[in-house]
């Protein structure tokens, strides 16, 4: 939707260690990234660093940006730009900081702040996976088009974003979350304990019996690929269990949202070990008390990164049926289906694209309301 837009939006990748500033036009970066330490323990120094980074980017441009838009860790009142609560990576923000109003006053342009999972999903819906899938469907001659998307990020936590009919669902409390759903196999435990960096490390250590190393998921993936010494079976089990737990949580949302699932984040480098169990969980069965089997997700679920499965996904199951009492016939595709794919933009770029698109959508929405008034 905004890939051909010429307006410029300033972005920020806010991490507990570094702040990375940039600018986008048409969902593409137009400046080299500018990086400064976050100084997250010191509120005044952190805010001063933000002002410095944003101003440096703005001064490098040949035209004025229309907005600043970025993701920032919560809890937060995102619509009002207020950050506050338990933020492990930004402890100086815990008492509440009016970050959006501060930056808007400083730079005189609109400032939009969102959750990274929300912006990841929005970026993939408007500039990434969703338009790409719809383009491929059109090229394949399919009339099927998708407007809903579930975005998941696999990393230090288990993030989610939901887009319905092209609109980001931020909820009434800026609190659309998935990390706190129940764990499939551990009663009373949150799902994020099974879908995060720490989960892969824990399961590998438990399965291998080796608690002496501090291997990262990248290292464990190399062990699973037999490119590094280690317990291959334990490494593969760590990713397989990760896929099962993630798939269980995804099945709940997939049935409610009924759209494409897009996954991003650093752990997706091990997708070839995660995807089989994740898809198997989404395709799983539940039973009624009478003994009947019911699909866990009522739609058929396809791995869209598998060419053969995408072909079947695009083809569907179209048949011709008669209109009673007439000589008319209509075509009917009776295959209800969704698909799972991994981000081609990458999580960081998708989040920035989401921030870009969100800012422009809000600016356009405000302009339309002004005209109507």
């Amino acid at each position: 939707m905004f890939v051909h837009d010429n307006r410029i939006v300033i972005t920020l990748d806010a991490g507990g260690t570094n702040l990375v500033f940039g600018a986008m036009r048409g969902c593409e970066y137009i400046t080299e990234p500018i990086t400064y330490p976050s100084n997250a323990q010191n509120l005044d120094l952190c805010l001063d660093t933000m002002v410095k980074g944003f101003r440096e980017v703005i001064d490098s441009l040949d035209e004025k940006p229309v907005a600043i838009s970025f993701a920032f860790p919560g809890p937060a009142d995102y619509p009002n730009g207020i950050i506050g609560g338990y933020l492990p990576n930004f402890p100086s923000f815990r008492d509440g900081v009016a970050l959006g109003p501060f930056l808007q006053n400083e730079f005189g342009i609109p400032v939009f702040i969102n959750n990274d999972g929300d912006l990841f999903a929005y970026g993939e819906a408007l500039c990434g996976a969703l338009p790409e899938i719809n383009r491929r469907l059109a090229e394949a001659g399919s009339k099927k088009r998708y407007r809903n998307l579930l975005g998941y990020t696999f990393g230090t936590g288990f993030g989610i974003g939901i887009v319905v009919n092209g609109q980001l669902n931020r909820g009434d409390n800026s609190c659309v979350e998935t990390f706190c759903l129940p764990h499939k196999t551990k009663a009373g435990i949150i799902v994020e304990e099974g879908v995060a960096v720490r989960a892969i490390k824990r399961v590998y250590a438990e399965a291998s019996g080796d608690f002496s190393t501090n291997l990262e998921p990248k290292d464990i993936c190399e062990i699973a690929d037999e490119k590094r010494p280690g317990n291959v079976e334990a490494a593969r089990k760590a990713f397989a269990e990760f896929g099962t737990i993630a798939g269980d949580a995804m099945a709940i949302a997939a049935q409610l949202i009924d759209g494409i699932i897009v996954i991003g984040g650093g752990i997706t480098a091990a997708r070839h070990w995660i995807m089989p169990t994740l898809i198997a969980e989404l395709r799983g069965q539940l039973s009624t008390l009478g003994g009947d089997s019911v699909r866990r997700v009522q739609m058929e679920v396809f791995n869209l990164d598998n060419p053969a499965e995408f072909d079947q996904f695009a083809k569907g199951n179209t048949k011709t049926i008669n209109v009673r009492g007439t000589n008319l016939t209509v075509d009917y595709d009776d295959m209800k289906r969704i698909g799972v794919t991994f981000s081609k933009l990458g999580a960081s770029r998708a989040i920035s694209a989401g921030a870009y698109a969100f800012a422009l959508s809000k600016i356009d929405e405000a302009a339309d309301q002004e005209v109507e008034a």
Side-chain angles (χ1 to χ4, degrees):
M1 180 182 295
F2 294 106
V3 293
H4 301 298
D5 202 298
N6 287 321
R7 288 173 289 182
I8 298 174
V9 173
I10 307 303
T11 64
L12 166 66
D13 183 356
T17 302
N18 291 313
L19 302 175
V20 184
F21 303 86
M24 298 196 94
R25 175 191 277 136
C27 291
E28 298 285 348
Y29 292 114
I30 60 170
T31 60
E32 291 298 318
I34 295 172
T35 303
Y36 286 112
S38 299
N39 300 305
Q41 302 282 346
N42 185 317
L43 180 60
D44 288 335
L45 187 55
C46 183
L47 294 178
D48 288 345
T49 303
M50 286 188 186
V51 171
K52 179 181 178 181
F54 283 131
R55 195 169 300 285
E56 190 169 337
V57 174
I58 292 171
D59 289 346
S60 73
L61 301 171
D62 56 8
E63 64 181 88
K64 184 178 178 179
V66 297
I68 292 171
S69 185
F70 59 96
F72 202 86
D77 174 1
Y78 288 114
N80 292 308
I82 300 171
I83 311 298
Y86 178 67
L87 288 87
N89 292 335
F90 286 86
S92 61
F93 282 71
R94 290 180 184 178
D95 292 334
V97 177
L99 181 58
F102 165 73
L103 293 173
Q104 188 160 318
N105 180 69
E106 189 74 27
F107 293 100
I109 55 177
V111 175
F112 304 98
I113 306 175
N114 284 283
N115 174 275
D116 58 352
D118 288 342
L119 291 183
F120 171 76
Y122 202 55
E124 291 290 352
L126 271 63
C127 308
L130 205 57
E132 174 66 13
I133 288 167
N134 285 331
R135 181 190 64 78
R136 291 175 65 191
L137 287 171
E139 290 177 351
S142 172
K143 295 180 181 179
K144 187 79 171 174
R145 299 293 183 273
Y146 287 82
R147 298 182 298 276
N148 303 327
L149 180 142
L150 276 162
Y152 286 96
T153 52
F154 290 169
T156 55
F158 185 29
I160 189 174
I162 298 171
V163 177
V164 177
N165 288 326
Q167 299 295 314
L168 178 63
N169 173 30
R170 295 200 290 177
D172 290 327
N173 295 284
S174 304
C175 197
V176 176
E177 297 288 359
T178 197
F179 77 93
C180 49
L181 290 176
H183 193 292
K184 177 181 171 66
T185 62
K186 298 183 184 298
I189 301 299
I190 63 170
V191 67
E192 191 171 84
E193 292 297 340
V195 189
V197 167
R198 62 184 181 274
I200 292 169
K201 296 166 71 171
R202 174 182 55 79
V203 175
Y204 177 78
E206 291 173 350
S208 66
D210 183 1
F211 293 87
S212 63
T213 60
N214 190 29
L215 297 172
E216 296 299 324
K218 179 179 180 295
D219 305 319
I220 297 171
C221 183
E222 290 177 353
I223 293 171
D225 291 337
E226 300 184 53
K227 296 178 180 177
R228 178 190 181 109
N231 189 316
V232 174
E233 184 178 345
R236 294 178 181 178
K237 178 181 179 181
F239 290 114
E241 184 171 311
F242 183 103
T244 295
I245 305 307
D248 177 70
M250 289 177 172
I252 298 170
Q255 186 58 70
L256 296 173
I257 303 304
D258 185 9
I260 299 298
I261 297 173
V262 184
I263 304 169
I267 295 175
T268 60
R271 68 191 68 178
H272 50 297
W273 298 116
I274 295 170
M275 196 64 152
T277 52
L278 189 153
I279 288 287
E281 195 66 29
L282 288 168
R283 291 173 177 167
Q285 303 277 324
L286 295 174
S287 298
T288 68
L289 291 174
D292 294 328
S293 290
V294 178
R295 283 181 180 174
R296 177 73 191 277
V297 176
Q298 290 299 292
M299 301 77 73
E300 292 196 37
V301 181
F302 290 89
N303 177 356
L304 301 184
D305 295 330
N306 180 309
E309 289 201 27
F310 187 90
D311 288 345
Q312 188 179 357
F313 170 79
K315 182 179 180 181
N317 188 43
T318 301
K319 59 181 68 173
T320 300
I321 59 175
N322 296 319
V323 178
R324 183 180 179 187
T326 75
N327 293 323
L328 301 175
T329 61
V330 294
D331 290 336
Y332 168 50
D333 185 347
D334 68 355
M335 181 188 287
K336 301 180 188 299
R337 57 199 185 274
I338 59 172
V340 183
T341 185
F342 285 88
S343 172
K344 308 305 183 295
L345 294 176
S348 180
R349 185 181 164 200
I351 290 168
S352 292
Y356 177 82
F358 183 86
L360 297 188
S361 69
K362 287 299 181 183
I363 290 171
D364 290 347
E365 182 182 307
D368 290 343
Q369 290 174 351
E370 188 173 316
V371 170
E372 291 174 2

